[in-house]
Amino acid sequence: MLLSLAARVRVLFVGGKGGVGKTSTASAVALAAAREGRRVLVASTDPAHNLGHLWDRPVGDDVVRLAGPFPVGQDGGAAGTGVGHLDGIEIDPERTAERHLDQVRGTLHRLMPEHLRGEVDRHLDLARHAPGAHEAALLERVAETVELGLAEYDLVVFDTAPSGHTARLMALPEAMSAWTDGLLRGRDRSARFGDAARRLGHTDDDGAGVLGTGSRARDRRERRDQEIRAVLERRRRRFAGLREVLTDHGRTAFVIVLAAERMPVLEALELHRQLEATGVGVRALVVNKRSPHDGGDLLAARHAQEERHLAVVRDALPRVPLLEVPLLPGDLAGEAALTRLGELLR
């Protein structure tokens, strides 16, 4: 079921409560798609960064090869580009925020008078610790990764942060687009006011007359305003594009992974509600580590308890397909184990 869903979309988000198996599910789906001949990127936005541990190799903020190439037809697959492979990346919000602020610093140092550079640095240092700075940086990297995935891969699979973080992230593109639009409208009003003041013969920023030596300062200010506007326009287009992809059910799907326990079930239902409210469609539920009913009295009792929790899910979300993955022996790590898990996700 899950692999057939992945075959129909270009972007797949895997979310849920921490510790339920999001990283292993995302990696198993991504690996199976690569074995079927698709170029696949699995991207982790989870601050825990378990992707490298799962694959038993270093994975960081730059794309690395995890598996492949797989010739077309291997494991019976024939879809995709002919030679499939799987790449991975762990998105680092800290590094993203630092890179963004460094770019802003360079732009402002170039455009602002030299005596204001200390003030620019002070404000940017404060911005580094401002509420929402890392979420905004993470959103920009998610947008970049989606753009990369659509341009260079057949499928990009996101292993997302725990439920609350992911719900806020999915709602951010619309909010950031509206905020950027407000900034642009404010700059337009400011520019119109400045033009009117200059036509009336008022002085410009450095106190010189419009026809005097202040023309150099005015030119510098206009260049600065044009560059700032270009940056805002670029971010608006990026966030609007991400929003379009997230709400396009033909290209994007969201899967919630959960355990058949009280808290994961409640979080899954709340995450579903929040995602649906933002226009992001939840296309499947994966119940991980399902206890067997015939493994002795303890596991049989646990299976019955899990069944009661899953009845709540089925009653609340009767139209969302639900896939149960059995509890597996041993540690889940490495390509062979993920291949076995992928077989259970079909």
Side-chain angles (χ1 to χ4, degrees):
M1 180 183 75
L2 205 55
L3 300 189
S4 63
L5 173 62
R8 299 194 301 271
V9 297
R10 297 289 308 280
V11 182
L12 181 69
F13 286 89
V14 179
K17 182 177 171 58
V20 296
K22 298 187 301 293
T23 304
S24 56
T25 301
S27 291
V29 170
L31 177 60
R35 286 184 173 277
E36 292 176 349
R38 301 180 79 186
R39 302 166 300 173
V40 185
L41 175 67
V42 58
S44 173
T45 66
D46 191 338
H49 287 327
N50 291 319
L51 195 61
H53 299 305
L54 182 65
W55 284 90
D56 195 25
R57 63 193 306 171
V59 180
D61 200 44
D62 298 310
V63 174
V64 298
R65 178 62 48 87
L66 295 178
F70 302 108
V72 65
Q74 184 168 333
D75 297 338
T81 59
V83 179
H85 64 262
L86 175 59
D87 293 343
I89 184 173
E90 290 182 337
I91 294 174
D92 184 351
E94 183 77 30
R95 179 179 171 184
T96 301
E98 289 289 340
R99 185 181 64 180
H100 174 69
L101 289 174
D102 286 344
Q103 290 173 345
V104 173
R105 189 188 310 274
T107 299
L108 292 179
H109 279 188
R110 188 174 70 255
L111 296 174
M112 300 292 286
E114 188 171 351
H115 70 275
L116 293 179
R117 288 185 178 181
E119 190 71 10
V120 166
D121 291 341
R122 187 177 72 84
H123 281 289
L124 289 177
D125 288 340
L126 291 174
R128 179 178 289 105
H129 305 291
H134 282 200
E135 283 186 319
L138 177 59
L139 181 67
E140 188 127 15
R141 281 302 304 280
V142 168
E144 288 179 5
T145 305
V146 167
E147 291 168 4
L148 172 68
L150 294 176
E152 300 185 14
Y153 293 88
D154 302 306
L155 173 68
V156 55
V157 181
F158 282 95
D159 164 35
T160 69
S163 304
H165 298 286
T166 298
R168 287 194 298 273
L169 188 67
M170 294 296 104
L172 266 180
E174 185 172 12
M176 292 292 286
S177 293
W179 179 74
T180 305
D181 285 344
L183 287 178
L184 286 167
R185 287 193 297 270
R187 296 204 67 80
D188 287 342
R189 287 194 295 270
S190 177
R192 288 196 298 270
F193 178 80
D195 289 342
R198 284 191 291 274
R199 284 194 295 270
L200 292 172
H202 289 180
T203 58
D204 59 18
D205 286 350
D206 61 0
V210 172
L211 299 178
T213 59
S215 60
R216 289 191 299 273
R218 184 168 65 251
D219 290 343
R220 183 173 62 244
R221 185 179 62 249
E222 289 176 353
R223 289 197 304 272
R224 179 190 65 205
D225 288 350
Q226 288 172 1
E227 187 155 348
I228 290 172
R229 182 177 183 85
V231 170
L232 291 174
E233 289 280 10
R234 186 166 61 250
R235 295 193 81 194
R236 180 172 66 174
R237 288 194 299 270
R238 169 162 282 170
F239 293 141
L242 178 60
R243 173 71 180 165
E244 181 181 342
V245 171
L246 289 177
T247 56
D248 182 351
H249 295 185
R251 285 188 292 176
T252 303
F254 201 106
V255 173
I256 298 178
V257 182
L258 64 147
E261 300 171 358
R262 183 174 182 275
M263 289 306 298
V265 163
L266 292 177
E267 282 204 23
L269 295 179
E270 177 61 16
L271 178 58
H272 178 274
R273 184 192 67 78
Q274 293 174 334
L275 292 173
E276 291 289 324
T278 63
V280 177
V282 176
R283 306 279 284 280
L285 302 168
V286 177
V287 182
N288 203 15
K289 302 178 183 179
R290 185 77 157 92
S291 299
H293 64 85
D294 55 356
D297 292 343
L298 176 63
L299 290 176
R302 184 169 181 82
H303 180 89
Q305 178 66 24
E306 291 173 354
E307 190 60 37
R308 287 190 284 274
H309 289 308
L310 293 184
V312 174
V313 177
R314 294 188 182 99
D315 288 343
L317 306 175
R319 288 185 290 275
V320 182
L322 187 148
L323 174 66
E324 298 181 31
V325 177
L327 179 66
L328 300 175
D331 293 329
L332 183 62
E335 187 173 336
L338 290 169
T339 299
R340 290 194 296 273
L341 176 60
E343 290 297 321
L344 299 172
L345 297 173
R346 291 190 179 279

